[in-house]
Amino acid sequence: MRAAVIGFGAVGRRVARALAGDDRFESVTVVHRDPSRVAETVAAWPGPVQVRRGVPGDPVAADVTVVSVPAAARRSVTAALDHGSHVICPLDDPVDVRMLLDLDPRARSRRRSLVLGTAMAPGLSCVLAARMRGFFDRVDEVHVASLGTGGPVCARRHHAALAGISVDWVDGAWRRRAGGSGRELVWFPEPVGGADCYRAALADPVLLQPAFPGCRRITARLEATRRDRLTSWLPMLRPPHPEGLVGAVRVEMRGWLDDRAETRILGVACPPAVAAAAVSAEAARWAVTDRLARTGAGGMAEMVGDPGAFLKELAVAGVTVSAFQGSLG
């Protein structure tokens, strides 16, 4: 089997290295506009890794393609599908996600899977939600909160998200609210702890709603400081860190089990780039081994038929799940 990775940022670099060290892949091709910046890094990696110059839309011979750059994502995804490749997209902009969901008929006609939002949130958040679904007879609410950024592109995206429009699923309809509103204190797994989270332009509800069609409320919030909120409508005042080192995601689910109300909470504390790369690499493995639930375009909650097994594989990569068991106080 052959893999291709388009983009070599904090997430793409980790995905490429993970797949290069996997014996199931006979070759891994990294596509970059400046191969000289990549060649020295991949030279020390195990396995056959090729570096080639490319721009969005260039065809790459591969069984699975990971598109980790938002620039011209639709062209890259369309080209990969047209050349018979499954596609994994760790992109989290709701505009990009909705645009790529429109490619569902194209992916189905080619009997290929287009897995969207394979980052920490969305991505890992969707797998956690799918895992908790089996604990309920009926799910009424799903609430996602996330903290941290994976790299410069992710940091700029989250900065802009606070100035965007939040779209939540409420009682069978989409409700639009201003980003930066709806302050809520959220407790993440240790060592992160509590943080104020706010509404933002996030893609989790867009990908979770098709997986939970009977759910009454689906929301997503993003950790932010007062400065983040006040400056969200401006360009970033200082260059973002090359890679976010602190991150977490938390999913709270409410519903009914045996005619009683239940609440379950799962979370992960992990650097966002590590989590996003682990989810994307594992999704690529499941795609080429026909373990995904269906073809077509969708999020992880729809595509991963056995979320428990998926989370066990992530634990091998160092992404471990914590469950909130209640307070002793």
Side-chain angles (χ1 to χ4, degrees):
M1 294 178 289
R2 302 160 299 169
V5 179
I6 301 176
F8 205 69
V11 175
R13 182 176 66 253
R14 280 188 163 88
V15 173
R17 180 157 191 169
L19 298 181
D22 191 327
D23 293 339
R24 285 170 286 194
F25 291 94
E26 62 190 43
S27 69
V28 176
T29 301
V30 176
V31 181
H32 197 274
R33 64 180 181 276
D34 185 2
S36 62
R37 295 175 53 187
V38 177
E40 185 176 350
T41 301
V42 304
W45 289 0
V49 183
Q50 306 168 12
V51 182
R52 53 162 286 185
R53 185 187 304 274
V55 297
D58 284 353
V60 183
D63 298 295
V64 62
T65 302
V66 181
V67 179
S68 65
V69 289
R74 186 183 180 100
R75 279 197 290 162
S76 297
V77 170
T78 301
L81 289 174
D82 288 346
H83 284 79
S85 175
H86 298 286
V87 184
I88 312 297
C89 279
L91 306 180
D92 61 355
D93 189 324
V95 174
D96 291 335
V97 168
R98 288 192 180 93
M99 173 186 64
L100 294 175
L101 282 172
D102 291 340
L103 295 177
D104 178 69
R106 196 185 204 106
R108 287 179 183 271
S109 68
R110 288 155 178 76
R111 302 177 67 180
R112 290 295 176 264
S113 297
L114 169 54
V115 191
L116 301 175
T118 60
M120 186 170 75
L124 181 54
S125 60
C126 297
V127 180
L128 295 177
R131 178 70 182 91
M132 286 190 286
R133 177 165 43 198
F135 300 151
F136 295 85
D137 294 330
R138 187 181 81 238
V139 176
D140 278 349
E141 302 182 26
V142 181
H143 304 285
V144 178
S146 60
L147 176 149
T149 59
V153 173
C154 184
R156 294 186 184 96
R157 160 77 193 101
H158 282 210
H159 178 78
L162 288 167
I165 299 299
S166 166
V167 181
D168 298 334
W169 181 255
V170 181
D171 294 329
W174 293 108
R175 181 171 296 181
R176 296 163 61 87
R177 297 184 173 97
S181 65
R183 175 182 175 184
E184 183 176 311
L185 177 61
V186 175
W187 290 94
F188 294 96
E190 296 296 339
V192 176
D196 287 331
C197 295
Y198 301 85
R199 297 187 182 104
L202 304 172
D204 299 76
V206 176
L207 293 174
L208 285 170
Q209 192 278 327
F212 295 88
C215 195
R216 190 170 59 86
R217 293 185 64 210
I218 303 175
T219 68
R221 280 176 167 78
L222 182 67
E223 181 273 338
T225 64
R226 179 174 294 181
R227 184 183 65 189
D228 294 333
R229 295 169 60 223
L230 292 176
T231 63
S232 62
W233 59 278
L234 295 169
M236 294 192 76
L237 300 180
R238 58 184 179 184
H241 192 276
E243 183 175 328
L245 302 178
V246 178
V249 62
R250 176 187 189 269
V251 181
E252 178 177 345
M253 184 172 288
R254 303 172 188 172
W256 296 86
L257 176 64
D258 297 331
D259 294 325
R260 68 176 186 273
E262 290 283 343
T263 298
R264 295 284 185 121
I265 301 173
L266 294 180
V268 173
C270 178
V274 173
V279 172
S280 298
E282 193 59 32
R285 296 185 185 102
W286 280 45
V288 296
T289 54
D290 295 326
R291 297 181 68 187
L292 294 177
R294 65 173 179 84
T295 59
M300 295 293 290
E302 291 184 279
M303 292 297 194
V304 177
D306 188 348
F310 194 92
L311 290 173
K312 287 181 180 178
E313 297 294 338
L314 293 187
V316 176
V319 180
T320 56
V321 179
S322 299
F324 179 71
Q325 301 292 350
S327 172
L328 297 178

